Amino acid sequence: MSSPDVLAALSSVTTATLTTILFKKGLRNVWLRGTAPLAAGQQRVAGPAFTLRFLPQREDLATPAAWSSPTSTRAAVEAMPAGCVVVADTAGIADAGIFGDILCARMRQRQVAGLVTAGAVRDRAGIVQTGLPVWCSAAAAPPAVAQLAFVGWQQPVACGGVAVFPQDIIVADEDGAIVIPAALTGEVAAQALEQERTEAWILDQVLQGAPLTGLYPLSPENQARYEAYSKGRDG
Amino acid sequence: MSSPDVLAALSSVTTATLTTILFKKGLRNVWLRGTAPLAAGQQRVAGPAFTLRFLPQREDLATPAAWSSPTSTRAAVEAMPAGCVVVADTAGIADAGIFGDILCARMRQRQVAGLVTAGAVRDRAGIVQTGLPVWCSAAAAPPAVAQLAFVGWQQPVACGGVAVFPQDIIVADEDGAIVIPAALTGEVAAQALEQERTEAWILDQVLQGAPLTGLYPLSPENQARYEAYSKGRDG
Amino acid sequence: MSSPDVLAALSSVTTATLTTILFKKGLRNVWLRGTAPLAAGQQRVAGPAFTLRFLPQREDLATPAAWSSPTSTRAAVEAMPAGCVVVADTAGIADAGIFGDILCARMRQRQVAGLVTAGAVRDRAGIVQTGLPVWCSAAAAPPAVAQLAFVGWQQPVACGGVAVFPQDIIVADEDGAIVIPAALTGEVAAQALEQERTEAWILDQVLQGAPLTGLYPLSPENQARYEAYSKGRDG
Amino acid sequence: MSSPDVLAALSSVTTATLTTILFKKGLRNVWLRGTAPLAAGQQRVAGPAFTLRFLPQREDLATPAAWSSPTSTRAAVEAMPAGCVVVADTAGIADAGIFGDILCARMRQRQVAGLVTAGAVRDRAGIVQTGLPVWCSAAAAPPAVAQLAFVGWQQPVACGGVAVFPQDIIVADEDGAIVIPAALTGEVAAQALEQERTEAWILDQVLQGAPLTGLYPLSPENQARYEAYSKGRDG
Amino acid sequence: MSSPDVLAALSSVTTATLTTILFKKGLRNVWLRGTAPLAAGQQRVAGPAFTLRFLPQREDLATPAAWSSPTSTRAAVEAMPAGCVVVADTAGIADAGIFGDILCARMRQRQVAGLVTAGAVRDRAGIVQTGLPVWCSAAAAPPAVAQLAFVGWQQPVACGGVAVFPQDIIVADEDGAIVIPAALTGEVAAQALEQERTEAWILDQVLQGAPLTGLYPLSPENQARYEAYSKGRDG
Amino acid sequence: MSSPDVLAALSSVTTATLTTILFKKGLRNVWLRGTAPLAAGQQRVAGPAFTLRFLPQREDLATPAAWSSPTSTRAAVEAMPAGCVVVADTAGIADAGIFGDILCARMRQRQVAGLVTAGAVRDRAGIVQTGLPVWCSAAAAPPAVAQLAFVGWQQPVACGGVAVFPQDIIVADEDGAIVIPAALTGEVAAQALEQERTEAWILDQVLQGAPLTGLYPLSPENQARYEAYSKGRDG
């Protein structure tokens, strides 16, 4: 699949299915703990990670000058490419909001696909109005500068107990956000589509009253039934 | 009261009132911490507990064979009786979802009344569509097998810091889930109905502007007023 | 500004903006962790703090007599003035609900502006019906008496890791609740209004496509542009 | 027993035995979580509680003037009577030390029996040198003023999830600190002495090879054997 | 190796080395979090797991009768074979001690090799005197019955976030306790002995001033040097 | 002071005094939470920070090749200069040990002054034997590779909730480790020496029976007395 096709495919698959595929490849720790949708009804997003890195604040660093320094969050926002999913590492701190409505509005203008953090954002109502999809652990009123020092972007980061590298693919939906290592994206997308098709058929059988035994996972007999159905559908 | 009458009575009473009654009998630790409704508008459910027990995963146990073993979650689902409330002990783990849409759909088919866990479920959107009422602490994308090993059903379990035995009665509503020890169910139901009637009258007095003094709890004078009202209503 | 004007001003400003102003005055720790809106759509509230203090329960204190003692929560409710925001310190305990529908209904009758706690409330559905705006960390079924002993009101308290003194001003909205020390209220309100005006103009520029550089924070040039706009608007 | 006799008795009994006695009287929550001995070999202490209350720090309160204000910790130390056990409530904060060597040295001079907190102390080496027995959760370098505001003494407090009132009796040993409500002290001391005698006899039986069955708790037969032994010893 | 040889071998190897061997076999989650030595100088122990299972206490279960019921901890102690390592699952609860001096003295009499729990024990001083090696997270004065209900022995349990089955091998030393699945014990012991020999040689090289490059892990050249040394030593 | 003099001065002052000085300069968050001495009797160390950065492990990164990659911990150790204090950021993970005896022995050979982490180390007994002073939160048997991916050295890091930059000065003693921003080191050292002298005099007064009032902090009168004493001593 081409890269846009891969992202389109990933956008059509639940993170639940994607983590199952990743588990089968030996990856267990890919779900970013503490990343829940900020607003009801947010669509699933998929895109390459654009990482931000914060450290706990230190008073000698928290000067007004920090806001217009070359490593400010403002400069980071202006470096974000269209389609990326921003992943912010807040060093475990969730009692200050990393961004409010103005920065989220600008990210939206730059066609950022979404913002993911295990920390907090601020001005929940204002952010929701910008339309930027956000996954986070909380809304917290205080400004980032009260608790956090921004130290750079596009470095490897930790978010929700998971390592994320720039250009890894992030997918986020109602179950939170996950990371797919860049090198595995194509095969994961392909297998996930097939898995979703199989599970849709299984769910349909269950809704018709079939018991789980032999169905989930598929026994050889049910595997054959599914393949016959699948061939018929695709043929 | 007959058993169906007891369950009907318990379904009409808030868990707040039921925990007050249980407290008066000396039971303080009956509320399952971390059990919040998954979807808005879930109706209150009441039914006998059907327990599931998970341990932290160990890689030598996490084989594909586990899914079709006689102690799989699939076998447990097929053993669930109509009307039960499933209570899952996840050993404090909430970063993998114990069930997704397929198993929840099957539970719904089997007329399971609800699913309660202090852990997580996965595929939130899919589960909500099945119509199964769920109380849990979070939605988490990863499959159970990534973090959890299923070891059996209908054993005593711990859920949210509370002991639950098979056949204890579980009631769950907007305040979360509680357990009523099997032996106490009948008397709790009777006293709770009376308590709700009393509190409804008190609330009505408050809404008419009465101060709390002498009203909540009832002074002898107000107790007499309530009894007169109550007799009038019932007579 | 007069006191009612100050409260009116504070009610029109986000807690995000207010914490920014407080940060500029050197106050970092003013956001009450664990205070989220109980119901969707709660309006922002602002008012002087009326504090409640609970300790962990001790069985020798948890007698029925406690409910009608002179230091009961009932007596505290009857002492609440119209317009206050109640702040309850639960000593870190969130597995029992401090108030249910009856006490909240009475607080509403007494024109209490809102209830704030990092602990829990009980009977969520009933409380929402009373119309009292509540900020808390959870809904929990058990009665306060199962876990908490009430020891007095209008003392200094800790709530969500923040010190609150009686008569400090509390403001709460979708980002949770914050405290403004009584002595700073007037100047904070004035500066916050101006900050909101400035940020509204900046947001407007962003929505028209302006990059953040030189805009947020304002460069001297953009400061001049804003002032010209501002003069035009006010003039 | 007279009050000095009671304290002498309590000093000769383990906190493990005392909590067993308190449990039999219906008190479960009497052990102050997070109170471990600071130094090896600290002797057991018992004495009436002298309480201190801290709140989370707020920058507008943390002025140099605070140190010499009438409600400073210095003034509190000068009010401590000989023989008391100081219990400090730090509102869950353990990343600043409430006292260092100077205040502990002064407490020692004033014949304070011990210091108990679920928070931290600072200058561990210096405190150990003063000889004051301390129970706490950690040693932390920062001064109290960096995180904590002192608000008064001899108020009811929470320490380690337990309510402590002035004049309750505190006993602390290698298992941490416990509270005995003032009204129960005499009977607890008497029963604890008897319990220790019984358990010493049981332990002796175990060391001679007796199995636990019928021994712990005592069967009627073993109860009789113990009573015969006990009479012989006392007679 | 015979079973006693395997246990002897495991007793001579650090848990650090054993977890490295287990990691190479794909097992990551084998270290029981929260299991630290109770006393200084405890020797390493190794033996088959004898499991105990506690649930959170429920007041209707906490009767004096529980102590002499057939599923009491007393009965469990009398069922413990010589050489076993007891592993107690306390459902995450660490504010009551599961055992004190009497039960530990009896375990010692029965030649139990050690006691491991992520919960707490009580009467630290008394237990240390019995000589039973204990790994736990804390000493806590309250009796088990205040917080815990014992429900059985020799069931699969969770301890410190790790699954333990009866007859798995437990090894505990200064780094805490680990589990080796029963089926892997022999090969783990053999490989661990070889790994310790290799690491001893590497450490010796480091102490003589060798840099880590090519040494740890061994380059082919250093591997050859080590093998020559090893052959010489063994020959 | 010259740089060696500054380090010598800092080595003679407690971290308690240093955090007081830093607090007076407006720095509150300089103590690295979770950094306790690994062994009894470790001397205080002071030196420039050499930072290490770990992320949570991801299975696709945890290959044997990682150990000999150019960004391995081995390469980092070989880059450490004599006298540095190593500060390791483990992203909040403490259930695997970052280093064992071999790497610590090599660090000791390279004259590293100490190792500081809020995470864990492994093979406690072996590390203590190397003589390298270590501050950490725990000993944990599992190898780093089971939980952690090493991503580089001499980057800004977070350790125990505090930001540390390469070349900041770290001081560690019985109260844990603190950071002094590089730019402030000289003046902090000078003021700390003076503060220690003053406090030693105050402590001496207390040991002679003086009350705290007017002594701590010094009243003008006592300030004069101290200065006279101080002049006498120095003159």
Side-chain angles (χ1 to χ4, degrees):
Chain A
M1 286 190 270
S2 73
S3 170
D5 284 356
V6 165
L7 291 179
L10 292 173
S11 299
S12 72
V13 182
T14 64
T15 58
T17 293
L18 292 167
T19 51
T20 300
I21 301 296
L22 288 163
F23 173 72
K24 289 181 180 170
K25 295 183 182 305
L27 281 89
R28 293 158 182 271
N29 191 23
V30 294
W31 178 68
L32 285 59
R33 295 162 190 79
T35 56
L38 182 69
Q42 285 182 189
Q43 296 297 303
R44 185 178 299 120
V45 303
F50 184 97
T51 67
L52 304 179
R53 188 163 173 241
F54 292 88
L55 294 182
Q57 189 53 289
R58 219 169 64 182
E59 288 84 352
D60 58 315
L61 308 173
T63 59
W67 275 311
S68 35
S69 97
T71 53
S72 72
T73 50
R74 280 71 175 154
V77 169
E78 296 299 335
M80 292 172 184
C84 73
V85 178
V86 176
V87 177
D89 174 349
T90 65
I93 292 173
D95 54 4
I98 55 168
F99 290 141
D101 59 349
I102 292 176
L103 270 67
C104 287
R106 181 60 186 157
M107 288 163 71
R108 183 74 167 165
Q109 286 273 332
R110 294 187 63 82
Q111 298 179 274
V112 165
L115 167 63
V116 170
T117 183
V121 294
R122 61 199 300 252
D123 191 8
R124 179 200 289 261
I127 289 179
V128 171
Q129 267 191 323
T130 69
L132 183 77
V134 175
W135 283 259
C136 61
S137 69
V145 69
Q147 302 284 353
L148 294 162
F150 182 65
V151 291
W153 64 87
Q154 292 296 61
Q155 303 177 16
V157 297
C159 182
V162 176
V164 176
F165 292 75
Q167 307 311 324
D168 286 336
I169 298 300
I170 304 295
V171 185
D173 63 13
E174 286 198 45
D175 285 1
I178 66 161
V179 63
I180 307 175
L184 301 177
T185 315
E187 55 180 300
V188 166
Q191 293 171 27
L193 286 173
E194 177 51 28
Q195 170 107 352
E196 290 259 297
R197 275 191 288 264
T198 312
E199 296 208 349
W201 184 81
I202 293 172
L203 180 58
D204 191 57
Q205 302 295 305
V206 167
L207 293 175
Q208 292 174 36
L212 297 169
T213 327
L215 184 66
Y216 190 48
L218 291 171
S219 63
E221 184 182 334
N222 275 317
Q223 179 75 36
R225 283 183 57 219
Y226 167 65
E227 278 163 20
Y229 156 82
S230 189
K231 186 174 288 178
R233 186 191 57 182
D234 297 348
Chain B
M1 285 189 270
S2 72
S3 170
D5 284 354
V6 165
L7 291 180
L10 293 173
S11 299
S12 72
V13 182
T14 65
T15 57
T17 293
L18 292 168
T19 51
T20 300
I21 301 296
L22 288 163
F23 173 73
K24 290 180 179 169
K25 295 183 182 304
L27 281 87
R28 293 159 183 270
N29 191 25
V30 295
W31 178 67
L32 285 59
R33 295 161 190 81
T35 57
L38 182 69
Q42 286 182 187
Q43 296 297 303
R44 187 178 299 120
V45 302
F50 183 97
T51 66
L52 303 180
R53 188 164 172 241
F54 292 88
L55 294 182
Q57 189 53 288
R58 218 169 66 182
E59 289 84 351
D60 58 314
L61 308 173
T63 60
W67 275 312
S68 32
S69 97
T71 53
S72 72
T73 50
R74 280 71 175 158
V77 169
E78 295 300 334
M80 292 170 182
C84 73
V85 178
V86 176
V87 177
D89 174 349
T90 65
I93 293 173
D95 54 4
I98 55 166
F99 290 143
D101 59 350
I102 293 176
L103 270 66
C104 288
R106 180 61 185 157
M107 289 163 70
R108 184 73 166 166
Q109 286 274 331
R110 293 188 64 83
Q111 298 178 274
V112 165
L115 167 63
V116 170
T117 183
V121 294
R122 60 198 302 251
D123 191 9
R124 178 200 290 260
I127 289 178
V128 171
Q129 266 191 324
T130 69
L132 183 78
V134 175
W135 283 259
C136 61
S137 69
V145 68
Q147 302 284 354
L148 293 162
F150 182 66
V151 291
W153 64 86
Q154 292 295 64
Q155 302 176 17
V157 298
C159 183
V162 176
V164 177
F165 292 75
Q167 307 311 326
D168 287 337
I169 298 300
I170 305 295
V171 185
D173 62 13
E174 286 198 44
D175 285 2
I178 66 160
V179 63
I180 307 175
L184 302 176
T185 315
E187 56 180 299
V188 167
Q191 293 170 28
L193 286 174
E194 177 51 29
Q195 171 106 353
E196 289 259 297
R197 274 190 290 263
T198 312
E199 296 207 350
W201 183 82
I202 293 172
L203 180 58
D204 191 57
Q205 302 295 305
V206 167
L207 293 176
Q208 292 173 37
L212 297 169
T213 328
L215 185 65
Y216 189 49
L218 291 170
S219 63
E221 182 182 335
N222 274 317
Q223 179 74 35
R225 283 184 56 221
Y226 167 65
E227 277 162 20
Y229 156 82
S230 188
K231 187 175 286 179
R233 186 191 56 180
D234 296 348
Chain C
M1 285 189 271
S2 73
S3 170
D5 284 355
V6 164
L7 291 180
L10 293 174
S11 298
S12 72
V13 181
T14 65
T15 57
T17 292
L18 292 167
T19 50
T20 299
I21 302 296
L22 288 163
F23 173 73
K24 289 180 181 171
K25 295 184 181 306
L27 281 88
R28 294 157 182 269
N29 190 24
V30 294
W31 178 69
L32 285 60
R33 295 161 190 81
T35 56
L38 182 69
Q42 284 181 188
Q43 296 297 303
R44 186 178 298 119
V45 303
F50 183 97
T51 66
L52 304 179
R53 187 165 173 240
F54 292 88
L55 294 182
Q57 189 54 289
R58 220 169 64 182
E59 288 84 350
D60 59 315
L61 308 173
T63 60
W67 275 311
S68 34
S69 98
T71 53
S72 72
T73 50
R74 280 73 176 154
V77 169
E78 296 298 334
M80 293 172 184
C84 74
V85 178
V86 176
V87 177
D89 174 349
T90 65
I93 291 174
D95 54 3
I98 54 167
F99 290 143
D101 58 351
I102 292 176
L103 271 66
C104 287
R106 181 61 184 158
M107 288 163 71
R108 184 73 167 166
Q109 287 273 331
R110 292 187 65 82
Q111 297 178 275
V112 165
L115 168 62
V116 170
T117 183
V121 294
R122 60 198 303 252
D123 191 7
R124 179 200 289 260
I127 289 179
V128 171
Q129 267 192 323
T130 69
L132 182 77
V134 175
W135 283 259
C136 61
S137 70
V145 69
Q147 302 284 353
L148 294 161
F150 182 66
V151 291
W153 65 86
Q154 291 296 62
Q155 303 176 15
V157 297
C159 183
V162 177
V164 177
F165 292 75
Q167 306 312 324
D168 287 335
I169 298 299
I170 305 294
V171 185
D173 63 13
E174 287 198 43
D175 285 1
I178 67 161
V179 64
I180 307 175
L184 303 177
T185 315
E187 55 180 300
V188 167
Q191 293 170 28
L193 286 173
E194 176 50 29
Q195 170 105 354
E196 288 258 297
R197 275 191 289 263
T198 313
E199 295 207 352
W201 183 82
I202 292 172
L203 180 58
D204 191 55
Q205 302 295 304
V206 167
L207 293 175
Q208 292 173 35
L212 297 169
T213 328
L215 185 66
Y216 189 49
L218 291 171
S219 63
E221 182 182 336
N222 274 316
Q223 179 73 38
R225 284 183 56 219
Y226 166 66
E227 277 163 19
Y229 156 84
S230 189
K231 185 174 290 178
R233 187 191 55 181
D234 296 348
Chain D
M1 286 189 270
S2 73
S3 171
D5 284 355
V6 165
L7 291 180
L10 292 174
S11 298
S12 72
V13 182
T14 65
T15 57
T17 292
L18 292 167
T19 51
T20 299
I21 302 297
L22 289 163
F23 173 73
K24 290 180 180 170
K25 296 183 180 305
L27 280 88
R28 294 159 182 271
N29 190 24
V30 294
W31 178 67
L32 285 59
R33 295 162 190 80
T35 56
L38 182 69
Q42 284 181 189
Q43 296 297 304
R44 186 178 299 119
V45 303
F50 184 97
T51 66
L52 303 179
R53 188 165 172 239
F54 292 88
L55 295 181
Q57 189 52 289
R58 220 169 64 181
E59 288 84 351
D60 58 314
L61 309 172
T63 60
W67 275 311
S68 35
S69 98
T71 53
S72 73
T73 50
R74 279 73 175 154
V77 169
E78 295 300 335
M80 293 172 183
C84 73
V85 178
V86 176
V87 177
D89 174 350
T90 64
I93 292 174
D95 54 4
I98 55 167
F99 290 142
D101 59 350
I102 292 176
L103 270 65
C104 287
R106 181 61 185 155
M107 288 162 71
R108 184 74 167 166
Q109 287 273 331
R110 293 187 65 82
Q111 298 178 275
V112 165
L115 167 62
V116 170
T117 182
V121 294
R122 60 198 301 252
D123 190 8
R124 178 200 289 262
I127 289 179
V128 171
Q129 267 191 323
T130 68
L132 182 76
V134 175
W135 283 259
C136 61
S137 69
V145 69
Q147 302 284 354
L148 294 162
F150 182 66
V151 291
W153 64 86
Q154 291 296 62
Q155 303 176 15
V157 298
C159 183
V162 177
V164 177
F165 292 76
Q167 306 311 325
D168 287 336
I169 298 300
I170 305 294
V171 185
D173 62 13
E174 288 198 43
D175 285 0
I178 67 161
V179 63
I180 307 175
L184 303 177
T185 314
E187 55 181 300
V188 166
Q191 294 170 27
L193 286 173
E194 176 51 29
Q195 170 106 353
E196 289 258 298
R197 275 191 288 263
T198 312
E199 295 208 351
W201 183 82
I202 293 173
L203 180 58
D204 192 56
Q205 302 296 304
V206 167
L207 292 175
Q208 292 173 35
L212 297 169
T213 327
L215 185 66
Y216 189 48
L218 291 172
S219 63
E221 182 181 336
N222 276 317
Q223 179 72 38
R225 284 182 56 218
Y226 167 66
E227 277 163 19
Y229 157 84
S230 189
K231 186 175 289 178
R233 188 191 54 183
D234 296 349
Chain E
M1 286 190 270
S2 72
S3 170
D5 285 356
V6 165
L7 291 180
L10 293 173
S11 299
S12 72
V13 182
T14 65
T15 57
T17 293
L18 291 168
T19 51
T20 300
I21 301 296
L22 288 163
F23 173 72
K24 289 180 181 171
K25 295 184 182 304
L27 282 89
R28 294 159 182 271
N29 190 25
V30 294
W31 178 68
L32 285 60
R33 295 162 190 80
T35 56
L38 182 69
Q42 285 182 188
Q43 296 298 302
R44 186 179 299 121
V45 303
F50 183 97
T51 66
L52 304 178
R53 189 163 172 241
F54 291 89
L55 294 182
Q57 189 54 287
R58 218 169 65 183
E59 288 83 351
D60 58 316
L61 308 174
T63 61
W67 274 311
S68 33
S69 97
T71 53
S72 72
T73 50
R74 280 71 174 155
V77 169
E78 295 300 334
M80 292 172 184
C84 74
V85 179
V86 176
V87 177
D89 174 349
T90 65
I93 291 172
D95 53 5
I98 54 167
F99 290 142
D101 59 350
I102 292 177
L103 271 67
C104 287
R106 181 61 186 157
M107 288 164 70
R108 183 73 166 165
Q109 286 274 333
R110 294 187 63 82
Q111 298 178 274
V112 166
L115 168 63
V116 170
T117 183
V121 293
R122 61 199 300 253
D123 191 7
R124 178 200 290 261
I127 289 179
V128 171
Q129 266 190 323
T130 69
L132 182 77
V134 175
W135 283 260
C136 61
S137 69
V145 69
Q147 301 284 353
L148 293 162
F150 182 65
V151 291
W153 65 87
Q154 292 295 62
Q155 304 176 16
V157 298
C159 182
V162 176
V164 176
F165 292 75
Q167 307 311 325
D168 286 336
I169 298 300
I170 304 296
V171 185
D173 63 13
E174 286 199 44
D175 285 2
I178 66 160
V179 63
I180 308 175
L184 302 177
T185 315
E187 55 180 301
V188 167
Q191 293 170 28
L193 286 174
E194 177 51 31
Q195 171 106 353
E196 289 259 297
R197 276 191 288 264
T198 311
E199 295 207 350
W201 183 82
I202 293 172
L203 180 58
D204 191 57
Q205 302 295 305
V206 167
L207 293 175
Q208 293 173 36
L212 296 169
T213 327
L215 185 66
Y216 189 48
L218 291 171
S219 63
E221 184 181 334
N222 274 317
Q223 179 74 36
R225 284 183 55 220
Y226 167 65
E227 278 163 18
Y229 156 83
S230 188
K231 187 175 287 179
R233 186 190 56 180
D234 296 348
Chain F
M1 285 190 272
S2 72
S3 170
D5 285 355
V6 165
L7 291 180
L10 293 173
S11 299
S12 72
V13 182
T14 65
T15 56
T17 292
L18 292 168
T19 52
T20 300
I21 301 296
L22 288 163
F23 173 73
K24 289 179 181 171
K25 296 183 182 304
L27 281 88
R28 293 158 183 269
N29 191 24
V30 295
W31 179 67
L32 286 59
R33 295 161 190 82
T35 57
L38 182 68
Q42 286 181 187
Q43 296 298 304
R44 186 178 298 119
V45 304
F50 183 97
T51 66
L52 303 179
R53 187 164 173 242
F54 291 88
L55 294 182
Q57 188 54 288
R58 218 169 66 182
E59 289 84 351
D60 58 315
L61 307 174
T63 60
W67 274 312
S68 34
S69 97
T71 52
S72 73
T73 50
R74 280 72 176 156
V77 169
E78 295 300 334
M80 292 171 183
C84 74
V85 178
V86 176
V87 177
D89 174 349
T90 65
I93 292 174
D95 53 4
I98 55 167
F99 290 143
D101 58 351
I102 292 176
L103 271 66
C104 288
R106 180 62 185 156
M107 289 163 71
R108 184 72 166 167
Q109 286 274 331
R110 293 187 63 84
Q111 298 178 274
V112 165
L115 168 62
V116 170
T117 183
V121 294
R122 60 198 301 251
D123 191 8
R124 178 200 291 259
I127 289 178
V128 171
Q129 267 191 324
T130 69
L132 183 77
V134 175
W135 284 260
C136 61
S137 69
V145 68
Q147 302 284 354
L148 293 162
F150 182 65
V151 291
W153 64 85
Q154 292 295 63
Q155 303 176 16
V157 298
C159 183
V162 177
V164 176
F165 291 76
Q167 308 311 324
D168 287 337
I169 298 300
I170 304 296
V171 185
D173 63 13
E174 286 198 45
D175 285 2
I178 66 160
V179 63
I180 308 175
L184 303 176
T185 315
E187 55 180 299
V188 167
Q191 293 170 28
L193 286 174
E194 177 51 29
Q195 171 106 353
E196 289 258 298
R197 275 190 289 263
T198 312
E199 296 207 351
W201 183 83
I202 293 172
L203 179 58
D204 191 56
Q205 302 295 304
V206 167
L207 292 175
Q208 292 173 35
L212 297 169
T213 327
L215 185 66
Y216 189 49
L218 291 170
S219 63
E221 181 181 336
N222 274 317
Q223 178 74 37
R225 284 183 54 221
Y226 166 65
E227 277 162 19
Y229 156 83
S230 188
K231 187 174 286 179
R233 186 191 56 181
D234 296 348

